[in-house]
Amino acid sequence: MRAPLSWLREYVDLPAEVTGRDLAEKLIAAGLEVETVDRAGADLEGPLVVGEVLAIEELTGFKKPIRFCQVDVGDANGTGEPQNIVCGATNFAVGDRVVVILPGGELPGGFKIGSRKTYGKLSEGMICSVSELGIGEDHGGILVLPADTPVGVDAIGLFGLRDDVLDIAVTPDRGYALSIRGLAREAATAYGLPFKDPADVELPGETAEAYPAAIADPSACDRFVLREIRGLDPDAQTPVWMRVRLHRAGMRPVSLAVDVTNYLMLELGQPLHAFDRSALTGPIVVRRAAPGESLETLDHVKRTLDPEDILITDDSGPISLAGTMGGLTTEIGDRSTDMVIEAAHFDDIGVARMVRRHRLHSEASYRFERGVDRDLPLYASYRAARMLAELGGAEIVPGVTHAEAPVEAAAITIPAAHPGRVAGVAYDRDTVVRRLEQVGCAVTGGETLTVTPPSWRPDLTDPNDLAEEVIRLEGYEAIPSRAPRPAAGQGLTAAQRLRRRVGRALAGAGYTEVLAFPFVAAKDWDDLQLPAGDARRTTLRLANPLSEDEPLLRTTLLPGLLRALAHNVGRGFGDAALFEMGVVFRPRPDAPARAPRLAVDRGPTAEEVASVDAALPDQPHRVAVVLSGDRERSSWWGAGRPALWADAVEAARTVAAEVGVELTVKQDRHAPWHPGRCAALYVGDTLVGHAGELHPRVTKAYGLPARSCAMELELRRLGEPVTPRAPHVSTYPVATQDVALVVDTAVPAAEVEAALRDGAGALLEAVRLFDVYTGEQIGEGRKSLAYALRFRAPDRTLTAEEASQARDAAVAVASERTGAVLRGT
């Protein structure tokens, strides 16, 4: 919210010496976030005055229009004689009032003005446009002033061209601060001065109805006000002072009717909308959208409406997205004269969801989302009608349409000592009552107060909200700083230590950790090629998603990781190895539809905690990796190699090693992996995850290089982590025995390895597969697996006979279990 200081001064009599920076310090102390204070027009130096064009001579012989003008600037030039000025603009005529900067002045940007000869004439100054004055963008050239603007007066003071502008970042709970009215109230409180409410206008005693309207859905809108004006002069211009203020506040002047509604929205915080009266057909109704309805909004986009959308409609159908943007068919045009002015109070949550659904954010929706004063529509609409009558010659049609769904004001009960207990500072009852009344609350009671928040503070719903108001107005700096005494901790849990070890191990193996959003779209399940009925398709939908494109909670880590990988590949980092650890959300089939709401004035009971846990989804921790491009790069040391499915399997083994378990790898078919290059990962008989090469359709859907690989496993299924200990290092030499076994092609190498381990006994230190061979010498449907067996005894040097006996025992068990035979026998 950008707030000119001069505008704030209209409603609070700040001392003359108070600057924008002084006020910013006060507002920051009161809890508002003032980001910057801009000194608008600080580089504008006079003499800058109002002049009247007396004569215009058209100069010829040039490629563009050049005019030699005589301008009356009164006594501003010290002589009273007309000022001679050369100008290239053509949008003004003799008799027009314009802004003139005389020699010696300076325009924004360091543009100094002097007398100089140009186009064969002596030019003594410049006739200014709005961009040259720093108050807007040029639309037609020179700024032409109303005919009654006095000649020779200082234009800087007349139009407020020099001002301090506060730029305030308004938090979602302080919607009232999105208006000059709200900020002026805060300034008045900060300085202890009276506040003049711009909404404090006397309404006419009207009983007749203006344009007919009704509220069909009270949950969408609880107050809807219409007023009607006729005969607006379509050529009436927005006053310069209003255009300056709109520009300073960050809005572009458009036309008188639009500018008045925008001006009052900024001043009061109440969004307004004007409909072209001639384009309306039948009564106006506020309702939710019906199936199949659509609306073309003012941005020329035809939008398909959702049943939860809040609409303003007439007999022709939807004419506006309530509180967000009007429809194209009822837009007021350059020649519109008859208008219906709408002011309403819409449901804040409904508007927030609607703007996110349609990706259609506006200044109006920004305010409705944060809460608008429910009592303002009557006053704001009347002020708009009156301003259009005063500035544009319109006639106010007697009567007002006021549709309302009654809303009872909620009272909050709070002990007078509660703010002090929250702050750790004693506040007496009178202080608490005074501060709450300054906010606008009605307060009754003794030591226990009954507080009714004002209509402009819908965020005050809880005793702690009231405590915050007292504390911030008393000053956060008055709260003493005391270092808290932390309770003695017990360190990290075993699960936390495991996750840290896994992260360090994967980082040491060359993987980079990423943190992806836990939100996915239904399209992700199709992109991952998940079959119908797959458990991962059963998801939870967020009630208020950050984006309607991704409203679901993830059931696998892979979508976010694959998008991160695609993001890197798209920026030229094709050789990537990423990992993520996080929870996934797997709905329980027997869970209740909604978690219970617990009281906040006490701790929950064991039964209440259990009821909440029962409603929550299962949230296991998982770890996943994705790889693409080269795993080892080529260089002077030799050729590199691409990332393979085996690297994904090895990443799983790296994770398992931190738990202290060994994985059994079996071939499997499981989306999103390639059906012929997918490994199921087991610990004993427990399936813990999958790894391998991604399906070609998956890499295409996510825009990844062909043959990208991935792994995902569930940490808790690996079992309880063992405390890592340094391995015992034997001082005796190792005995190595190689063995080549021939088995059927369908026999997994992991089964052969397991049989060798079991058969070799305690002397076996390690077993490694170092060669796989298929060919005519082995026979069709057969393969040769060559293993290196390392034997070592902890207390002696093994003899060759002992090593051979252990090897033969290992081969015997492998032969018995898998049908393996020694190659060459």
Side-chain angles (χ1 to χ4, degrees):
M1 174 68 189
R2 292 178 57 83
L5 180 61
S6 61
W7 202 346
L8 294 170
R9 287 184 182 276
E10 285 194 13
Y11 304 111
V12 54
D13 291 325
L14 295 172
E17 66 274 11
V18 171
T19 65
R21 296 188 183 278
D22 296 334
L23 178 57
E25 290 180 6
K26 291 283 191 178
L27 295 180
I28 290 171
L32 295 176
E33 298 180 24
V34 182
E35 294 189 327
T36 60
V37 178
D38 300 329
R39 299 186 63 200
D43 53 354
L44 183 65
E45 297 292 339
L48 189 76
V49 298
V50 176
E52 180 182 358
V53 181
L54 300 178
I56 298 176
E57 177 186 350
E58 304 285 348
L59 302 183
T60 59
F62 302 101
K63 293 183 179 180
K64 60 181 180 180
I66 300 296
R67 311 168 92 190
F68 183 61
C69 308
Q70 289 186 321
V71 185
D72 177 17
V73 294
D75 295 329
N77 58 4
T79 65
E81 296 295 323
Q83 202 79 3
N84 297 320
I85 299 174
V86 175
C87 182
T90 60
N91 68 307
F92 62 95
V94 172
D96 283 346
R97 304 289 168 93
V98 293
V99 177
V100 177
I101 185 166
L102 301 177
E106 184 175 337
L107 291 172
F111 183 32
K112 297 183 181 296
I113 304 300
S115 296
R116 66 190 183 98
K117 191 170 183 179
T118 180
Y119 297 102
K121 300 288 185 179
L122 181 65
S123 182
E124 304 169 311
M126 176 184 284
I127 304 174
C128 300
S129 67
V130 291
S131 67
E132 290 163 342
L133 295 172
I135 57 173
E137 300 176 359
D138 287 342
H139 295 283
I142 295 303
L143 173 62
V144 178
L145 304 175
D148 58 352
T149 308
V151 173
V153 300
D154 176 34
I156 294 178
L158 181 64
F159 301 123
L161 302 182
R162 190 179 291 135
D163 205 349
D164 287 352
V165 181
L166 286 73
D167 193 350
I168 302 171
V170 179
T171 53
D173 62 329
R174 297 195 182 278
Y176 71 93
L178 289 169
S179 65
I180 297 297
R181 180 195 188 207
L183 294 175
R185 182 181 280 108
E186 289 287 342
T189 301
Y191 282 92
L193 297 171
F195 167 65
K196 293 175 287 185
D197 193 345
D200 187 13
V201 294
E202 185 177 353
L203 298 176
E206 299 168 316
T207 58
E209 187 180 70
Y211 196 90
I215 299 173
D217 188 344
S219 69
C221 174
D222 55 43
R223 176 164 283 170
F224 193 74
V225 173
L226 296 178
R227 295 184 189 271
E228 191 173 345
I229 63 162
R230 294 177 185 167
L232 178 72
D233 180 3
D235 296 319
Q237 297 296 309
T238 303
V240 176
W241 60 266
M242 183 180 291
R243 294 167 65 180
V244 171
R245 284 188 171 175
L246 288 172
H247 177 72
R248 296 279 189 253
M251 301 197 76
R252 180 176 63 88
V254 179
S255 65
L256 178 61
V258 174
D259 293 346
V260 164
T261 58
N262 286 339
Y263 181 84
L264 290 174
M265 176 183 68
L266 292 170
E267 183 171 85
L268 301 176
Q270 171 65 54
L272 298 164
H273 186 72
F275 297 101
D276 189 326
R277 174 65 176 80
S278 63
L280 295 174
T281 56
I284 289 177
V285 178
V286 184
R287 60 172 174 82
R288 304 278 182 177
E293 284 190 306
S294 63
L295 171 67
E296 185 172 1
T297 45
L298 292 175
D299 55 356
H300 298 275
V301 175
K302 189 170 184 179
R303 304 179 184 278
T304 300
L305 303 177
D306 186 272
E308 291 298 315
D309 288 344
I310 305 173
L311 304 179
I312 299 174
T313 67
D314 64 4
D315 287 350
S316 67
I319 58 174
S320 177
L321 286 175
T324 305
M325 185 175 286
L328 197 61
T329 58
T330 56
E331 176 187 18
I332 54 173
D334 294 338
R335 310 310 297 174
S336 297
T337 58
D338 300 342
M339 301 175 190
V340 173
I341 301 170
E342 167 255 310
H345 185 259
F346 300 111
D347 174 53
D348 51 355
I349 295 176
V351 172
R353 291 178 177 173
M354 182 168 62
V355 299
R356 284 160 179 75
R357 189 179 299 122
H358 293 286
R359 299 181 183 179
L360 186 63
H361 298 269
S362 64
E363 289 288 341
S365 68
Y366 190 70
R367 286 161 173 79
F368 276 119
E369 288 180 69
R370 285 155 178 76
V372 171
D373 185 352
R374 185 179 179 275
D375 290 346
L376 273 178
L378 282 168
Y379 301 94
S381 60
Y382 178 65
R383 278 201 59 193
R386 197 170 66 182
M387 289 182 76
L388 290 174
E390 294 170 355
L391 301 175
E395 174 194 354
I396 301 176
V397 177
V400 58
T401 300
H402 182 198
E404 181 181 16
V407 176
E408 196 171 321
I412 305 170
T413 301
I414 175 176
H418 181 68
R421 286 199 297 269
V422 172
V425 177
Y427 302 127
D428 58 49
R429 179 190 177 279
D430 291 343
T431 298
V432 172
V433 171
R434 175 170 57 87
R435 290 304 190 184
L436 292 178
E437 288 178 343
Q438 284 179 332
V439 173
C441 298
V443 185
T444 59
E447 290 306 313
T448 299
L449 304 176
T450 300
V451 181
T452 303
S455 58
W456 61 83
R457 292 299 303 271
D459 58 298
L460 301 181
T461 60
D462 183 83
N464 287 327
D465 296 332
L466 301 178
E468 180 185 0
E469 295 301 304
V470 174
I471 295 167
R472 74 177 182 88
L473 294 179
E474 281 296 298
Y476 292 116
E477 70 279 1
I479 301 175
S481 298
R482 292 193 296 267
R485 293 183 178 180
Q490 299 181 355
L492 300 176
T493 65
Q496 290 170 330
R497 289 194 295 271
L498 171 62
R499 290 197 290 273
R500 288 195 177 188
R501 290 205 310 272
V502 168
R504 285 195 292 265
L506 288 174
Y511 291 85
T512 301
E513 185 172 14
V514 299
L515 293 175
F517 279 119
F519 312 123
V520 295
K523 179 179 179 295
D524 281 309
W525 309 143
D526 297 329
D527 291 344
L528 291 177
Q529 306 297 307
L530 301 188
D534 191 295
R536 288 169 290 178
R537 285 184 176 269
T538 303
T539 57
L540 290 174
R541 183 181 179 88
L542 294 168
N544 188 23
L546 288 177
S547 169
E548 286 295 331
D549 289 341
E550 295 179 343
L552 309 176
L553 286 173
R554 67 187 178 191
T555 56
T556 168
L557 299 179
L558 291 180
L561 263 179
L562 296 180
R563 276 192 286 270
L565 180 60
H567 186 82
N568 282 271
V569 169
R571 281 153 183 77
F573 299 100
D575 302 330
L578 310 177
F579 83 94
E580 181 181 11
M581 281 190 292
V583 296
V584 298
F585 305 87
R586 307 300 291 267
R588 295 186 176 97
D590 56 345
R594 191 180 297 273
R597 289 181 176 270
L598 305 184
V600 296
D601 57 346
R602 58 174 176 78
T605 65
E607 292 77 11
E608 288 174 332
V609 171
S611 66
V612 172
D613 287 341
L616 295 177
D618 187 23
Q619 301 176 53
H621 268 89
R622 291 192 171 188
V623 59
V625 306
V626 291
L627 307 97
S628 70
D630 287 342
R631 185 69 173 127
E632 297 175 3
R633 295 184 178 180
S634 301
S635 189
W636 56 265
W637 54 73
R641 68 172 184 84
L644 303 172
W645 62 266
D647 294 302
V649 174
E650 187 58 30
R653 288 197 172 103
T654 299
V655 174
E658 295 302 318
V659 184
V661 298
E662 290 190 7
L663 294 178
T664 301
V665 180
K666 299 181 180 180
Q667 190 174 6
D668 198 6
R669 296 173 66 92
H670 189 74
W673 285 274
H674 190 295
R677 299 175 187 137
C678 173
L681 309 174
Y682 287 85
V683 173
D685 295 329
T686 302
L687 177 66
V688 298
H690 289 84
E693 183 180 307
L694 291 170
H695 196 289
R697 293 195 188 97
V698 175
T699 58
K700 182 178 180 181
Y702 284 94
L704 300 176
R707 310 202 73 169
S708 295
C709 303
M711 178 277 293
E712 183 176 23
L713 58 79
E714 198 163 300
L715 286 175
R716 68 182 179 186
R717 293 187 181 180
L718 296 175
E720 291 297 322
V722 297
T723 302
R725 294 183 179 180
H728 173 72
V729 179
S730 175
T731 59
Y732 295 95
V734 66
T736 302
Q737 296 276 344
D738 291 346
V739 59
L741 302 176
V742 178
V743 295
D744 289 340
T745 304
V747 176
E751 290 187 12
V752 179
E753 180 179 327
L756 290 173
R757 287 183 181 278
D758 293 343
L763 294 179
L764 182 67
E765 183 179 77
V767 57
R768 179 175 63 88
L769 175 68
F770 66 86
D771 184 58
V772 178
Y773 173 75
T774 57
E776 294 180 0
Q777 297 179 5
I778 303 302
E780 186 177 353
R782 307 279 282 172
K783 62 183 177 182
S784 171
L785 305 176
Y787 293 90
L789 308 179
R790 290 169 57 91
F791 299 98
R792 196 193 311 260
D795 56 351
R796 68 189 187 282
T797 300
L798 290 176
T799 64
E801 183 180 358
E802 287 177 310
S804 296
Q805 289 175 351
R807 180 202 62 189
D808 294 341
V811 171
V813 174
S815 176
E816 179 184 348
R817 291 187 184 177
T818 66
V821 297
L822 280 172
R823 186 174 174 183
T825 59

